[in-house]
Amino acid sequence: MRYLRYYLIALAVFLLDLYTKRLVKTHIELHDIVPVWGDFFALTYYLNRGAAFGILQGQQPFFLAVTVVFLVGIVYYMHKSIRQGNKLLPVALSLMLGGAVGNFLDRLLHGEVVDFALLTFRFNIFGLHVNYQYPIFNVADSGIVIGTLIVVIDSIIAWRRESKQAAKESSHDAV
């Protein structure tokens, strides 16, 4: 029962990913761009046969195999961190799990992943106009990235805690 909440988080990410991809496929034509918030945020419909940022196009067997290993590792570490009483790490891993399953299902069933969120950053730096378009992504990608950021934050917190404990023990031993 203590694992259920984390699987529910993963399920929520997966279902939101599935739902948004279905909305995009039914309401937006392939490669069309629908502005949502000025030039900054738009919806589009793009099919990605590669990995993050469109790299390794067409390597579906590789992605499927790597994702299976990734999923097994996530579930293993999620259970391990829950047993150890960690609160933040299992949340991060559940976000990553839901995202990985969402993109895995796309690759398995269709050989490609539906991406749709488009961010464009435009600003001036010292008179130089910068126009940067972030690679198109989806809810699954967001779950994986946010989960990864939480893992990094959790690792920093754990490292700081261990450093303080080691310093405390070192000063206690000196007395």
Side-chain angles (χ1 to χ4, degrees):
M1 194 66 161
R2 65 187 201 189
Y3 301 106
L4 181 62
R5 77 180 81 164
Y6 302 106
Y7 284 108
L8 288 175
I9 292 169
L11 180 63
V13 171
F14 170 73
L15 291 176
L16 183 60
D17 181 62
L18 195 67
Y19 178 70
T20 54
K21 287 173 179 174
R22 175 166 283 173
L23 280 177
V24 166
K25 289 182 348 186
T26 57
H27 295 293
I28 300 175
E29 292 294 322
L30 192 62
H31 303 293
D32 277 358
I33 296 176
V34 179
V36 174
W37 187 13
D39 290 338
F40 174 67
F41 177 59
L43 295 175
T44 188
Y45 178 9
Y46 178 77
L47 296 173
N48 184 357
R49 299 185 66 78
F53 310 114
I55 62 172
L56 300 173
Q57 290 290 319
Q59 301 297 316
Q60 297 313 315
F62 170 75
F63 292 128
L64 292 172
V66 167
T67 303
V68 168
V69 171
F70 184 71
L71 291 171
V72 169
I74 287 175
V75 170
Y76 171 79
Y77 282 109
M78 187 171 73
H79 282 243
K80 182 178 177 181
S81 66
I82 292 167
R83 284 192 305 271
Q84 293 173 343
N86 194 315
K87 302 286 188 235
L88 191 56
L89 187 58
V91 171
L93 295 171
S94 63
L95 291 170
M96 295 167 71
L97 178 64
V101 170
N103 282 342
F104 178 79
L105 185 66
D106 266 5
R107 282 194 179 94
L108 185 65
L109 297 179
H110 310 293
E112 54 202 3
V113 174
V114 173
D115 287 331
F116 58 85
L118 177 62
L119 299 175
T120 303
F121 299 90
R122 293 189 172 116
F123 49 91
N124 288 311
I125 300 177
F126 306 114
L128 178 66
H129 182 71
V130 176
N131 185 19
Y132 174 73
Q133 189 175 72
Y134 191 78
I136 304 167
F137 62 98
N138 59 38
V139 172
D141 298 333
S142 298
I144 294 167
V145 169
I146 292 167
T148 301
L149 290 173
I150 295 172
V151 167
V152 169
I153 291 166
D154 184 68
S155 298
I156 291 168
I157 291 169
W159 174 75
R160 289 185 59 144
R161 187 180 316 118
E162 290 169 7
S163 295
K164 285 181 183 179
Q165 183 64 29
K168 187 176 182 181
E169 289 172 3
S170 177
S171 67
H172 184 276
D173 290 343
V175 174

PDB file of all heavy atoms in Angstrom, residues 159-174:
ATOM      1  N   TRP A 159      23.667  15.001  -0.071  1.00  0.00           N
ATOM      2  CA  TRP A 159      25.102  15.268   0.034  1.00  0.00           C
ATOM      3  C   TRP A 159      25.380  16.279   1.136  1.00  0.00           C
ATOM      4  O   TRP A 159      26.305  16.106   1.938  1.00  0.00           O
ATOM      5  CB  TRP A 159      25.623  15.769  -1.309  1.00  0.00           C
ATOM      6  CG  TRP A 159      27.051  16.208  -1.264  1.00  0.00           C
ATOM      7  CD1 TRP A 159      28.157  15.419  -1.207  1.00  0.00           C
ATOM      8  CD2 TRP A 159      27.513  17.553  -1.250  1.00  0.00           C
ATOM      9  NE1 TRP A 159      29.286  16.186  -1.172  1.00  0.00           N
ATOM     10  CE2 TRP A 159      28.917  17.515  -1.189  1.00  0.00           C
ATOM     11  CE3 TRP A 159      26.879  18.790  -1.285  1.00  0.00           C
ATOM     12  CZ2 TRP A 159      29.693  18.653  -1.156  1.00  0.00           C
ATOM     13  CZ3 TRP A 159      27.650  19.926  -1.271  1.00  0.00           C
ATOM     14  CH2 TRP A 159      29.049  19.855  -1.201  1.00  0.00           C
ATOM     15  N   ARG A 160      24.574  17.345   1.191  1.00  0.00           N
ATOM     16  CA  ARG A 160      24.758  18.364   2.239  1.00  0.00           C
ATOM     17  C   ARG A 160      24.505  17.775   3.625  1.00  0.00           C
ATOM     18  O   ARG A 160      25.237  18.056   4.572  1.00  0.00           O
ATOM     19  CB  ARG A 160      23.852  19.559   1.983  1.00  0.00           C
ATOM     20  CG  ARG A 160      24.311  20.367   0.777  1.00  0.00           C
ATOM     21  CD  ARG A 160      23.490  21.588   0.618  1.00  0.00           C
ATOM     22  NE  ARG A 160      23.598  22.392   1.832  1.00  0.00           N
ATOM     23  CZ  ARG A 160      23.614  23.697   1.870  1.00  0.00           C
ATOM     24  NH1 ARG A 160      23.529  24.364   0.751  1.00  0.00           N
ATOM     25  NH2 ARG A 160      23.699  24.340   3.000  1.00  0.00           N
ATOM     26  N   ARG A 161      23.470  16.952   3.728  1.00  0.00           N
ATOM     27  CA  ARG A 161      23.157  16.312   5.005  1.00  0.00           C
ATOM     28  C   ARG A 161      24.307  15.411   5.448  1.00  0.00           C
ATOM     29  O   ARG A 161      24.724  15.432   6.600  1.00  0.00           O
ATOM     30  CB  ARG A 161      21.855  15.506   4.873  1.00  0.00           C
ATOM     31  CG  ARG A 161      21.346  14.933   6.174  1.00  0.00           C
ATOM     32  CD  ARG A 161      20.042  14.132   6.028  1.00  0.00           C
ATOM     33  NE  ARG A 161      19.053  14.764   5.188  1.00  0.00           N
ATOM     34  CZ  ARG A 161      18.576  14.242   4.055  1.00  0.00           C
ATOM     35  NH1 ARG A 161      19.013  13.079   3.604  1.00  0.00           N
ATOM     36  NH2 ARG A 161      17.657  14.878   3.357  1.00  0.00           N
ATOM     37  N   GLU A 162      24.840  14.624   4.514  1.00  0.00           N
ATOM     38  CA  GLU A 162      25.955  13.730   4.827  1.00  0.00           C
ATOM     39  C   GLU A 162      27.216  14.519   5.174  1.00  0.00           C
ATOM     40  O   GLU A 162      27.966  14.122   6.070  1.00  0.00           O
ATOM     41  CB  GLU A 162      26.213  12.785   3.652  1.00  0.00           C
ATOM     42  CG  GLU A 162      25.123  11.761   3.465  1.00  0.00           C
ATOM     43  CD  GLU A 162      25.244  11.001   2.154  1.00  0.00           C
ATOM     44  OE1 GLU A 162      26.254  11.163   1.434  1.00  0.00           O
ATOM     45  OE2 GLU A 162      24.307  10.242   1.842  1.00  0.00           O
ATOM     46  N   SER A 163      27.449  15.628   4.480  1.00  0.00           N
ATOM     47  CA  SER A 163      28.614  16.472   4.774  1.00  0.00           C
ATOM     48  C   SER A 163      28.515  17.062   6.170  1.00  0.00           C
ATOM     49  O   SER A 163      29.502  17.091   6.914  1.00  0.00           O
ATOM     50  CB  SER A 163      28.740  17.593   3.749  1.00  0.00           C
ATOM     51  OG  SER A 163      29.002  17.078   2.480  1.00  0.00           O
ATOM     52  N   LYS A 164      27.331  17.545   6.539  1.00  0.00           N
ATOM     53  CA  LYS A 164      27.129  18.109   7.884  1.00  0.00           C
ATOM     54  C   LYS A 164      27.308  17.030   8.942  1.00  0.00           C
ATOM     55  O   LYS A 164      27.919  17.270   9.987  1.00  0.00           O
ATOM     56  CB  LYS A 164      25.736  18.735   8.005  1.00  0.00           C
ATOM     57  CG  LYS A 164      25.602  20.058   7.300  1.00  0.00           C
ATOM     58  CD  LYS A 164      24.206  20.622   7.478  1.00  0.00           C
ATOM     59  CE  LYS A 164      24.050  21.924   6.716  1.00  0.00           C
ATOM     60  NZ  LYS A 164      22.702  22.484   6.841  1.00  0.00           N
ATOM     61  N   GLN A 165      26.772  15.834   8.663  1.00  0.00           N
ATOM     62  CA  GLN A 165      26.893  14.733   9.619  1.00  0.00           C
ATOM     63  C   GLN A 165      28.358  14.330   9.775  1.00  0.00           C
ATOM     64  O   GLN A 165      28.828  14.100  10.889  1.00  0.00           O
ATOM     65  CB  GLN A 165      26.054  13.532   9.167  1.00  0.00           C
ATOM     66  CG  GLN A 165      26.059  12.378  10.136  1.00  0.00           C
ATOM     67  CD  GLN A 165      25.429  12.720  11.470  1.00  0.00           C
ATOM     68  OE1 GLN A 165      24.533  13.572  11.547  1.00  0.00           O
ATOM     69  NE2 GLN A 165      25.885  12.087  12.526  1.00  0.00           N
ATOM     70  N   ALA A 166      29.094  14.277   8.674  1.00  0.00           N
ATOM     71  CA  ALA A 166      30.513  13.910   8.739  1.00  0.00           C
ATOM     72  C   ALA A 166      31.305  14.968   9.503  1.00  0.00           C
ATOM     73  O   ALA A 166      32.184  14.639  10.306  1.00  0.00           O
ATOM     74  CB  ALA A 166      31.078  13.740   7.333  1.00  0.00           C
ATOM     75  N   ALA A 167      30.989  16.238   9.276  1.00  0.00           N
ATOM     76  CA  ALA A 167      31.667  17.322   9.993  1.00  0.00           C
ATOM     77  C   ALA A 167      31.346  17.256  11.483  1.00  0.00           C
ATOM     78  O   ALA A 167      32.224  17.469  12.323  1.00  0.00           O
ATOM     79  CB  ALA A 167      31.259  18.665   9.418  1.00  0.00           C
ATOM     80  N   LYS A 168      30.104  16.954  11.793  1.00  0.00           N
ATOM     81  CA  LYS A 168      29.675  16.850  13.190  1.00  0.00           C
ATOM     82  C   LYS A 168      30.399  15.696  13.879  1.00  0.00           C
ATOM     83  O   LYS A 168      30.877  15.831  14.996  1.00  0.00           O
ATOM     84  CB  LYS A 168      28.153  16.637  13.224  1.00  0.00           C
ATOM     85  CG  LYS A 168      27.550  16.686  14.582  1.00  0.00           C
ATOM     86  CD  LYS A 168      26.035  16.550  14.440  1.00  0.00           C
ATOM     87  CE  LYS A 168      25.343  16.645  15.770  1.00  0.00           C
ATOM     88  NZ  LYS A 168      23.886  16.492  15.616  1.00  0.00           N
ATOM     89  N   GLU A 169      30.482  14.555  13.190  1.00  0.00           N
ATOM     90  CA  GLU A 169      31.165  13.388  13.747  1.00  0.00           C
ATOM     91  C   GLU A 169      32.660  13.660  13.894  1.00  0.00           C
ATOM     92  O   GLU A 169      33.286  13.243  14.869  1.00  0.00           O
ATOM     93  CB  GLU A 169      30.919  12.156  12.887  1.00  0.00           C
ATOM     94  CG  GLU A 169      29.510  11.644  12.985  1.00  0.00           C
ATOM     95  CD  GLU A 169      29.205  10.531  11.994  1.00  0.00           C
ATOM     96  OE1 GLU A 169      30.145  10.110  11.243  1.00  0.00           O
ATOM     97  OE2 GLU A 169      28.049  10.093  11.954  1.00  0.00           O
ATOM     98  N   SER A 170      33.225  14.376  12.928  1.00  0.00           N
ATOM     99  CA  SER A 170      34.653  14.707  12.968  1.00  0.00           C
ATOM    100  C   SER A 170      34.959  15.616  14.141  1.00  0.00           C
ATOM    101  O   SER A 170      35.947  15.427  14.847  1.00  0.00           O
ATOM    102  CB  SER A 170      35.045  15.373  11.647  1.00  0.00           C
ATOM    103  OG  SER A 170      36.397  15.767  11.702  1.00  0.00           O
ATOM    104  N   SER A 171      34.087  16.610  14.375  1.00  0.00           N
ATOM    105  CA  SER A 171      34.323  17.520  15.505  1.00  0.00           C
ATOM    106  C   SER A 171      34.054  16.801  16.827  1.00  0.00           C
ATOM    107  O   SER A 171      34.704  17.087  17.827  1.00  0.00           O
ATOM    108  CB  SER A 171      33.434  18.768  15.387  1.00  0.00           C
ATOM    109  OG  SER A 171      32.078  18.433  15.541  1.00  0.00           O
ATOM    110  N   HIS A 172      33.139  15.837  16.828  1.00  0.00           N
ATOM    111  CA  HIS A 172      32.857  15.075  18.050  1.00  0.00           C
ATOM    112  C   HIS A 172      34.031  14.170  18.384  1.00  0.00           C
ATOM    113  O   HIS A 172      34.382  14.004  19.555  1.00  0.00           O
ATOM    114  CB  HIS A 172      31.576  14.239  17.857  1.00  0.00           C
ATOM    115  CG  HIS A 172      31.151  13.509  19.075  1.00  0.00           C
ATOM    116  ND1 HIS A 172      31.673  12.287  19.424  1.00  0.00           N
ATOM    117  CD2 HIS A 172      30.245  13.827  20.047  1.00  0.00           C
ATOM    118  CE1 HIS A 172      31.128  11.887  20.543  1.00  0.00           C
ATOM    119  NE2 HIS A 172      30.246  12.792  20.953  1.00  0.00           N
ATOM    120  N   ASP A 173      34.661  13.567  17.353  1.00  0.00           N
ATOM    121  CA  ASP A 173      35.805  12.703  17.578  1.00  0.00           C
ATOM    122  C   ASP A 173      37.019  13.492  18.085  1.00  0.00           C
ATOM    123  O   ASP A 173      37.853  12.946  18.808  1.00  0.00           O
ATOM    124  CB  ASP A 173      36.203  11.981  16.269  1.00  0.00           C
ATOM    125  CG  ASP A 173      35.152  10.943  15.878  1.00  0.00           C
ATOM    126  OD1 ASP A 173      34.334  10.554  16.737  1.00  0.00           O
ATOM    127  OD2 ASP A 173      35.150  10.533  14.689  1.00  0.00           O
ATOM    128  N   ALA A 174      37.118  14.761  17.696  1.00  0.00           N
ATOM    129  CA  ALA A 174      38.249  15.582  18.118  1.00  0.00           C
ATOM    130  C   ALA A 174      38.162  15.966  19.585  1.00  0.00           C
ATOM    131  O   ALA A 174      39.160  16.301  20.199  1.00  0.00           O
ATOM    132  CB  ALA A 174      38.312  16.854  17.262  1.00  0.00           C
TER     133      ALA A 174
END
